[in-house]
Amino acid sequence: MVSRRTLLAYIAALFAVCVAQVAAQSQAPVIESVNSPQASEDTLSNEPSLSSALASASVSPSPISFIASNNTTSTGAPASLNTSAGSVSSRLSAAKFIAGLFWSSQTTGMHRRCSATVISENLLVTSAACAQSQNPISKFGNGEWRIVAGTDDRFLDVPAASAVGNKVASINMSTCANFAAILLSEPLTLGKSIKPILLSNSPAFQTTTVVTYNTTDPAVDPLVILTPGTDEACELLFPGYSKKGFLCTLPVDKQTVTADYLGGDPIIGFVPQDGVAEPVLFGVTGLYYSTIAEAQAAQANDPTAYRYSPLVAQQVGKLASLGGLDAQKIATPATPI
Ligand SMILES: *[C@@H]1O[C@H](CO)[C@@H](O)[C@H](O)[C@H]1NC(C)=O
Ligand SMILES: *[C@@H]1O[C@H](CO)[C@@H](O)[C@H](O)[C@H]1NC(C)=O
Ligand SMILES: *[C@@H]1O[C@H](CO)[C@@H](O)[C@H](O)[C@H]1NC(C)=O
Ligand SMILES: *[C@@H]1O[C@H](CO)[C@@H](O)[C@H](O)[C@H]1NC(C)=O
Ligand SMILES: *[C@@H]1O[C@H](CO)[C@@H](O)[C@H](O)[C@H]1NC(C)=O
């Protein structure tokens, strides 16, 4: 459980950095090396503006039409996301593009931090709030990040001892966009149990809602339908959110700032492909804001807060270059509405 002070510091720093960035247009990227976790993450540096990232992306964003996410089965999810229950929800088990980001402490073992979504055998994405090592260091002691994929251990707070995970080489964070790219030094074995997901290069969705997974309690049905807020309301709480590459969504049932304040879970839409609904990655869940004043007071449990989640569309070029991948192959082809 995060302290309110940490959350407060993070949100305050995020605002400060983004405000400073607009003024300064600095180009210095924010990099965290896993091998030097002692580096102060409170010293959030500036980073390239999202518009310059967008300009350099080799795939130009264009709208794709997501099909209704709750139309393919009577239970509110595409059939590809299994609905039967178990100790780990089979919807989570079926989502083979979700891995877990774990802190591997020399003294206290492995601890789950967040979801990370598989883009390729050596590239995953999550939120920057998840990928900062300060909190796990203070809670669990020195250690390093690991990725666990392919088994239900990826959802457990403490995985089986056999789940040692794959070593992380570096995490490239954009604190202003609250986005993190994780590069592995030990690649995943893609196949039946670990499947990468395509990025959506659409900056907006027109036709229907998208969904995310609440991975806080793996036994519970995780699917959460997200609905965008009106531009007017979203602008009030986070001016320029859209240009900065965020999706703004309405409060959902049972949301608590403390239960899933870190975000990092995949936000997916569905595209029709050969008659089935194929998931594509639209973004990763981000922070809740209510009013800036409330955010700065770190309201622990704000059922009225909107959520601002980084979209992947503006990260496609950067992710392709980080992972040594072809941007055309990791993003969905544009399908005009
Ligand atoms: C999805 O399901 C909700 C609740 O059952 C319903 O209100 C909504 O209209 C549905 N959307 C579509 C596109 O079918
Ligand atoms: C929803 O399902 C019905 C019945 O299977 C189908 O006729 C309709 O075209 C579907 N709508 C969408 C948007 O996929
Ligand atoms: C759905 O999950 C259940 C229980 O985990 C499993 O037995 C079944 O094979 C799964 N179905 C599919 C289509 O994956
Ligand atoms: C996520 O799951 C946790 C644990 O079951 C629950 O406390 C919380 O309310 C859930 N959040 C949402 C938004 O459903
Ligand atoms: C992190 O990303 C930035 C922006 O794309 C890039 O300039 C920088 O070289 C990256 N850092 C590493 C270690 O790859």
Side-chain angles (χ1 to χ4, degrees), residues 123-332:
L123 180 69
L124 300 94
V125 298
T126 188
S127 72
C130 289
Q132 299 194 337
S133 51
Q134 184 185 351
N135 184 288
I137 287 174
S138 66
K139 215 165 147 188
F140 302 117
N142 278 339
E144 58 182 17
W145 293 116
R146 295 283 172 89
I147 290 292
V148 174
T151 65
D152 284 349
D153 283 308
R154 67 197 195 271
F155 298 110
L156 305 182
D157 284 346
V158 175
S162 56
V164 291
N166 295 55
K167 282 191 175 166
V168 170
S170 67
I171 300 184
N172 193 319
M173 278 192 273
S174 307
T175 45
C176 198
N178 190 16
F179 193 80
I182 301 165
L183 273 176
L184 298 180
S185 52
E186 297 175 347
L188 302 170
T189 306
L190 303 181
K192 234 176 74 180
S193 55
I194 307 176
K195 292 196 167 141
I197 187 170
L198 283 177
L199 303 165
S200 161
N201 55 29
S202 167
F205 62 99
Q206 273 82 9
T207 54
T208 184
T209 51
V210 290
V211 302
T212 188
Y213 298 81
N214 176 1
T215 55
T216 312
D217 179 354
V220 173
D221 182 357
L223 274 200
V224 178
I225 296 182
L226 299 176
T227 310
T230 64
D231 200 43
E232 204 177 7
C234 292
E235 274 287 323
L236 273 180
L237 304 173
F238 186 172
Y241 76 96
S242 177
K243 278 204 183 77
K244 289 171 184 157
F246 287 86
L247 170 69
C248 164
T249 53
L250 297 180
V252 296
D253 268 0
K254 296 189 279 179
Q255 78 179 22
T256 64
V257 170
T258 47
D260 53 358
Y261 72 100
L262 286 172
D265 290 312
I267 297 175
I268 59 174
F270 299 91
V271 291
Q273 202 175 80
D274 305 327
V276 291
E278 274 303 314
V280 297
L281 186 68
F282 194 63
V284 296
T285 54
L287 298 171
Y288 293 112
Y289 297 89
S290 39
T291 63
I292 291 175
E294 279 172 1
Q296 287 179 344
Q299 298 275 317
N301 189 344
D302 185 353
T304 66
Y306 282 35
R307 190 163 216 181
Y308 293 88
S309 300
L311 296 173
V312 296
Q314 295 175 330
Q315 308 286 345
V316 171
K318 172 181 168 169
L319 290 171
S321 89
L322 280 172
L325 303 160
D326 180 349
Q328 308 283 347
K329 293 201 173 130
I330 59 168
T332 54

Side-chain angles (χ1 to χ4, degrees), residues 79 82-85 90 94:
N82 197 340
T83 57
S84 47
S90 50

Side-chain angles (χ1 to χ4, degrees), residues 66-68 70-72:
F66 290 123
I67 59 172
N70 56 350
N71 196 41
T72 46

